[in-house]
Amino acid sequence: MAPKPSKAEKKIAYDKKLCKFLDEYGQILVVAADNVGSNQLQNIRKGLRGDSVVLMGKNTMMKRTVRLHAEKTGNNDFLNLIPLLVGNVGLIFTKGDLKEVSEEVSKYKVGAPARVGLVAPIDVIVPPGNTGLDPSQTSFFQVLNIPTKINKGTVEITIPVELIKKGDKVGSSEAALLSKLGIRPFSYGLVVLSVYDNGSVFNPEVLDLTDDDLVEKFYAGVSMVTSLSLALSYPTLAAVPHMFVNGYKNVLSVAVASEYSFSYADKVKEYLKDPSKFAVSTAPVSAASASGGAPAAASKAEEKKPEPEEESDEDIGGLFGDDDF
């Protein structure tokens, strides 16, 4: 039987393993492992097997290995990991899609009872209904100011009650009551705290962004650049079209207010002088026209008749285009 490795040998083996993972994987999820048991962690390892590995260890050992490996390889990007190694954390090295790996990790959560002194991660609300407890147990409910009534020989809670608020410590009475009711209000698992991607570190909320979210943010950024460029009269690719349109509007305004003239200004002046020339007839269609009579034939003849060049649809479109006003 081989002798057990010493602490020094274990540290050397751990150091080699962490260095190997740092060289092999460019993506790392830093996860909190509070209240995660060994069996639960083993199930997570099995679920991620394939393109991801989970490595736990002491923060001091991980920081030392990362620092020495950065000095050895000259890759200072590894140093961005050191500030993230705080508290009871572990590392998930992966070659897969970060969002998919994060979602897979979140599946392995198990229910846990409310233990005394534990800080509640969520609000705990006791629902109304029959508790199955006999009337001698009403003292628990009275201490916690939970309204009850006796129904068919058992205690019944009449209204929902917020027993514990998020961030509060669980007291002995609350823990005892939840245990009697068989309620396991909390669930624990590995929680992604930060994401390391080839030297870049970001919040895991970024993984929830969709393509539509990115396009929306890009449009918002372009809009801000355009507004700033127009305010400073500084030409950029986003602002130049607006500058040309605004410049054209200024020239058109000067032409209309003065004797200066050009083709489109003449059309505007003509419209301002007599708008009725550009009016479109809205007379109702007669019954004979609808049935294909002589008026319809006359209408077809009018369609074949070429219109004057100065009143063509193209010119009217140029006159009333969105970019001209």
Side-chain angles (χ1 to χ4, degrees), residues 32-93:
D34 293 333
N35 302 297
V36 177
S38 58
N39 290 335
Q40 185 181 358
L41 188 59
Q42 188 64 25
N43 291 333
I44 295 174
R45 293 181 193 273
K46 291 179 181 178
L48 295 177
R49 188 169 296 168
D51 56 3
S52 304
V53 292
V54 181
L55 183 65
M56 308 299 292
K58 293 183 179 180
N59 292 346
T60 53
M61 188 182 300
M62 288 192 288
K63 288 179 180 180
R64 176 182 176 277
T65 299
V66 170
R67 188 178 295 108
L68 292 177
H69 192 63
E71 294 176 359
K72 180 180 178 181
T73 61
N75 187 353
N76 291 327
D77 288 343
F78 293 139
L79 298 177
N80 294 332
L81 279 170
I82 293 179
L84 308 179
L85 302 177
V86 179
N88 185 19
V89 297
L91 303 176
I92 298 179
F93 297 85

Side-chain angles (χ1 to χ4, degrees), residues 26-312:
Q27 301 178 137
I28 306 172
L29 298 179
V30 181
V31 295
D34 293 333
N35 302 297
V36 177
S38 58
N39 290 335
Q40 185 181 358
L41 188 59
Q42 188 64 25
N43 291 333
I44 295 174
R45 293 181 193 273
K46 291 179 181 178
L48 295 177
R49 188 169 296 168
D51 56 3
S52 304
V53 292
V54 181
L55 183 65
M56 308 299 292
K58 293 183 179 180
N59 292 346
T60 53
M61 188 182 300
M62 288 192 288
K63 288 179 180 180
R64 176 182 176 277
T65 299
V66 170
R67 188 178 295 108
L68 292 177
H69 192 63
E71 294 176 359
K72 180 180 178 181
T73 61
N75 187 353
N76 291 327
D77 288 343
F78 293 139
L79 298 177
N80 294 332
L81 279 170
I82 293 179
L84 308 179
L85 302 177
V86 179
N88 185 19
V89 297
L91 303 176
I92 298 179
F93 297 85
T94 182
K95 294 181 180 178
D97 182 86
L98 288 170
K99 180 176 176 61
E100 292 179 359
V101 175
S102 178
E103 290 175 348
E104 183 67 21
V105 169
S106 65
K107 293 179 182 179
Y108 294 89
K109 289 187 175 182
V110 297
R115 297 192 298 271
V116 178
L118 192 67
V119 177
I122 59 172
D123 294 333
V124 178
I125 298 177
V126 178
N130 198 304
T131 64
L133 301 176
D134 60 79
S136 63
Q137 305 291 326
T138 54
S139 58
F140 283 105
F141 301 96
Q142 292 173 354
V143 170
L144 298 170
N145 295 320
I146 298 177
T148 59
K149 67 179 181 179
I150 305 301
N151 184 15
K152 296 180 180 180
T154 58
V155 178
E156 180 178 326
I157 300 174
T158 57
I159 60 173
V161 176
E162 186 179 38
L163 186 63
I164 308 172
K165 291 184 178 181
K166 180 180 178 180
D168 292 346
K169 288 187 176 182
V170 179
S172 57
S173 298
E174 290 88 347
L177 176 60
L178 292 172
S179 177
K180 286 181 176 294
L181 296 178
I183 298 176
R184 299 167 67 88
F186 306 142
S187 60
Y188 297 105
L190 296 182
V191 179
V192 179
L193 300 177
S194 302
V195 180
Y196 172 93
D197 188 358
N198 295 295
S200 300
V201 177
F202 51 87
N203 193 292
E205 293 178 357
V206 174
L207 301 178
D208 297 328
L209 292 176
T210 63
D211 290 342
D212 292 338
D213 295 329
L214 296 176
V215 170
E216 182 179 350
K217 291 182 180 295
F218 176 78
Y219 284 158
V222 171
S223 177
M224 293 178 64
V225 170
T226 303
S227 301
L228 182 61
S229 298
L230 291 174
L232 298 176
S233 298
Y234 183 82
T236 61
L237 188 61
V240 164
H242 299 278
M243 290 180 172
F244 276 117
V245 171
N246 292 338
Y248 170 73
K249 291 178 180 179
N250 293 335
V251 172
L252 185 61
S253 300
V254 172
V256 170
S258 65
E259 298 299 326
Y260 181 78
S261 181
F262 58 93
S263 59
Y264 285 114
D266 292 340
K267 291 182 176 66
V268 175
K269 289 180 180 181
E270 186 178 356
Y271 174 79
L272 294 175
K273 184 177 180 181
D274 187 7
S276 62
K277 294 177 64 176
F278 296 88
V280 179
S281 176
T282 57
V285 180
S286 64
S289 176
S291 60
S299 176
K300 291 181 179 180
E302 289 179 359
E303 289 178 2
K304 294 180 180 180
K305 181 180 178 181
E307 294 188 7
E309 183 177 351
E310 63 271 17
E311 295 183 3
S312 66

